[in-house]
Amino acid sequence: MKTVRLVLALLALTLIAPWQSAKAADVICYNCPPEWADWASMLKAIKADLNYDIPHDNKNSGQALAQILAEKSNPVGDIGYFGVTFGMKAKAQDALEPYKPAHWDQVPAGLKDPDGYWTTIHSGTLGLFVNKDALGGKPVPACWKDLLKPDYKGMVGYLDPSSAAVGYVGAVAVNLALGGSPSNFDPAITFFKELRKNDPIVPKQTSYARVVSGEMPILFDYDFNAYRAKYSEKGNFEFVIPCEGSVVFPYVVGLVKNAPDKEKAKKVMDYLLSDKGQAIWTNAYLRPARPIELPASVKGKFLPDSDYARAKSVDWGEMENVQKAFVDRYLAEIR
């Protein structure tokens, strides 16, 4: 009898625990992982200033959108955080509803949906996040083409471009840097075919910890993650904007259509664009969406402006239109 009672008690706990977890969250933000863009600090600040609990969520942009779409008839999430191309997809698939956060008018026109379906909160520059200690004495690569050298066999990682926003951004950066265009992804396809010979590591989700540990010495990633490691982790880390060039990429938030905690979610989105919220992003080495001057203490930790001159802004609406064609080719020819 005691055994039966114990089994029933355990069964009750398994049924109650998810409900309690859901009730403990004030707002659900899909794709707000603590290791990415220092969401950990942002969510702590939101808890301190708004007293809202927002659980960490280790999705990527594609996974976040897929879950929002799967839950469309009964939404669970309140906010989606995406690479801008996935924000555009979310609007196109009727997954979001318009909301213009406070200070929305100060975000440049090219960084927001004109109707408020998505709004940039920060941007990053794509390059190489390098753990110098894990290179085994080999030089820090300076260019995209350096990664094709046998010296770096098994050392290079990039997120899956068929799923993660940063993966597609890396493909766009490589393609444009090596002479491609929105209508011609041949240079990127050729590059990834050659890189495959070097046994690259291709995870689907953010891999900051794997670079810090040395498991993945080189990762296609953003400046903010590399600077975070350089200035807060034990070890020797470097950020490289490849010699051939790179791109700048915005990250956006959108209000989930029929979000269950809509009013709280709106206050969170206001906070992300507030003076304090934007300053938190700069402390995490992100470029704020609003025209806020970088603190001198932060700006001095970035690469010189001459390096950033190699990183270009592109029409991400156009890149979103050609994304499927690239992904289809990547899946057919590379993976």
Side-chain angles (χ1 to χ4, degrees):
M1 190 65 179
K2 287 183 179 179
T3 303
V4 173
R5 286 179 180 173
L6 178 60
V7 170
L8 291 174
L10 290 173
L11 178 60
L13 285 173
T14 61
L15 294 172
I16 292 170
W19 180 83
Q20 288 178 330
S21 176
K23 294 294 287 184
D26 292 291
V27 175
I28 300 293
C29 178
Y30 284 154
N31 185 25
C32 293
E35 290 187 348
W36 177 264
D38 199 18
W39 270 102
S41 293
M42 180 60 74
L43 298 184
K44 285 179 184 176
I46 290 170
K47 173 62 176 176
D49 293 338
L50 300 182
N51 198 30
Y52 291 167
D53 285 303
I54 304 177
H56 296 158
D57 185 78
N58 285 303
K59 294 180 181 64
N60 63 35
S61 295
Q63 292 166 339
L65 177 55
Q67 183 150 355
I68 292 169
L69 291 172
E71 297 167 350
K72 209 168 181 182
S73 62
N74 187 24
V76 175
D78 301 294
I79 295 170
Y81 168 71
F82 314 98
V84 64
T85 54
F86 281 91
M88 294 172 181
K89 290 178 191 298
K91 177 190 176 182
Q93 296 183 61
D94 197 32
L96 305 175
E97 62 181 72
Y99 176 64
K100 298 177 180 179
H103 303 297
W104 184 88
D105 58 319
Q106 295 179 26
V107 176
L111 298 181
K112 61 189 177 186
D113 177 77
D115 297 316
Y117 281 90
W118 53 263
T119 304
T120 297
I121 53 174
H122 56 234
S123 63
T125 295
L126 197 286
L128 304 177
F129 172 16
V130 182
N131 183 331
K132 295 168 67 175
D133 296 332
L135 291 178
K138 298 177 178 65
V140 173
C143 305
W144 292 116
K145 289 186 176 180
D146 287 344
L147 305 179
L148 304 178
K149 296 176 180 177
D151 282 355
Y152 300 108
K153 190 177 183 69
M155 290 187 170
V156 180
Y158 64 91
L159 268 65
D160 184 347
S162 70
S163 175
V166 65
Y168 180 56
V169 176
V172 169
V174 166
N175 191 57
L176 296 179
L178 300 184
S181 70
S183 60
N184 176 22
F185 267 91
D186 288 347
I189 294 295
T190 299
F191 175 86
F192 285 114
K193 283 182 178 178
E194 290 297 310
L195 185 60
R196 186 171 57 181
K197 298 174 184 176
N198 251 2
D199 296 333
I201 306 164
V202 190
K204 289 185 176 295
Q205 293 165 322
T206 182
S207 297
Y208 175 88
R210 296 175 72 180
V211 180
V212 171
S213 71
E215 177 191 348
M216 192 185 298
I218 304 165
L219 177 66
F220 292 25
D221 206 351
Y222 293 110
D223 49 358
F224 52 83
N225 279 331
Y227 294 141
R228 175 187 167 200
K230 183 173 183 176
Y231 297 113
S232 66
E233 304 284 359
K234 291 180 180 179
N236 293 297
F237 303 95
E238 191 163 325
F239 178 66
V240 176
I241 299 176
C243 68
E244 302 97 336
S246 192
V247 297
V248 176
F249 189 69
Y251 274 80
V252 309
V253 290
L255 182 65
V256 174
K257 187 173 183 179
N258 299 318
D261 283 300
K262 186 178 301 185
E263 295 311 311
K264 289 180 179 178
K266 288 179 178 179
K267 290 180 181 178
V268 170
M269 292 172 68
D270 291 346
Y271 189 90
L272 299 177
L273 276 185
S274 69
D275 289 349
K276 185 169 183 179
Q278 292 283 279
I280 290 171
W281 296 133
T282 70
N283 290 334
Y285 311 108
L286 290 133
R287 301 283 177 163
R290 290 172 53 211
I292 293 175
E293 185 69 25
L294 285 176
S297 60
V298 172
K299 189 173 177 60
K301 293 180 178 179
F302 280 69
L303 289 176
D305 289 342
S306 56
D307 282 297
Y308 276 95
R310 296 197 295 276
K312 307 300 182 184
S313 295
V314 301
D315 183 343
W316 288 107
E318 184 178 26
M319 291 301 175
E320 196 274 335
N321 290 335
V322 299
Q323 184 172 3
K324 184 180 185 303
F326 166 75
V327 167
D328 288 346
R329 282 195 67 187
Y330 176 86
L331 292 174
E333 300 180 42
I334 311 298
R335 197 161 80 176

